Amino acid sequence: MPIVKILLFIVLAIVAIKLFFFAVGVFTILAWALLLILIVALVSWVCFRFLMPTNEQKKTAEKSGPQVWNHSGNVVLFEEKPNLLQITKVDHTTSGIIKLPNGEGIKIVEEAENVLKVKVLSGEHKGNVAWVSKADVTGYKTAN
């Protein structure tokens, strides 16, 4: 009878050892798979971070749309369509003009040779429609 107990103990020990190494193998395979997933995620995130800023800037510029800007700090809008001489020799005391601070958002309504008819989208003059020199508009691409 003691020989049977010893044989049973040896068989049980062998089965336990086999189960232990099977569990270690499964755990190792899962650990390697998880490590591979983390490495792929890290590489993707790094590529995304280095490549995305240029795309984000483009999207931001597209979302913000055209804006007015002039080196003097104020952009002059004309109520009536001005000619080139009126644009270059603008007198700030002339009636029929509106001054906008730099950075105001606009929407292009109509395009002429040197001027754009715009609708003001922000600021004190929001909703006004007026003419502005193309030189005073940033973020606008011609339809050509």
Side-chain angles (χ1 to χ4, degrees):
M1 196 70 165
I3 293 179
V4 173
K5 285 185 178 180
I6 293 173
L7 286 176
L8 217 62
F9 180 75
I10 292 172
V11 169
L12 185 62
I14 291 172
V15 169
I17 290 170
K18 291 268 189 190
L19 284 175
F20 173 76
F21 283 112
F22 175 76
V24 168
V26 169
F27 175 76
T28 303
I29 289 172
L30 290 176
W32 278 109
L34 180 62
L35 180 65
L36 182 64
I37 290 170
L38 288 175
I39 289 171
V40 168
L42 179 66
V43 168
S44 299
W45 180 78
V46 167
C47 290
F48 182 74
R49 288 297 264 172
F50 283 116
L51 298 177
M52 193 56 185
T54 56
N55 293 338
E56 279 182 2
Q57 289 171 354
K58 288 179 185 175
K59 287 179 183 177
T60 305
E62 288 172 5
K63 282 183 183 178
S64 64
Q67 297 179 346
V68 292
W69 188 88
N70 189 299
H71 66 279
S72 68
N74 286 314
V75 177
V76 177
L77 299 182
F78 299 86
E79 290 179 357
E80 298 294 325
K81 184 177 177 180
N83 59 34
L84 189 56
L85 183 62
Q86 289 172 312
I87 293 171
T88 56
K89 301 286 184 186
V90 67
D91 180 5
H92 294 288
T93 61
T94 309
S95 62
I97 64 169
I98 303 167
K99 287 183 179 179
L100 283 183
N102 286 341
E104 294 291 344
I106 56 172
K107 178 181 178 185
I108 308 301
V109 177
E110 185 180 331
E111 181 178 2
E113 189 173 326
N114 296 319
V115 291
L116 297 168
K117 188 173 188 178
V118 299
K119 180 176 183 179
V120 181
L121 300 178
S122 60
E124 181 182 339
H125 298 285
K126 182 178 180 178
N128 286 2
V129 177
W131 292 91
V132 63
S133 169
K134 282 185 179 180
D136 291 337
V137 176
T138 62
Y140 172 69
K141 294 182 178 88
T142 59
N144 296 351

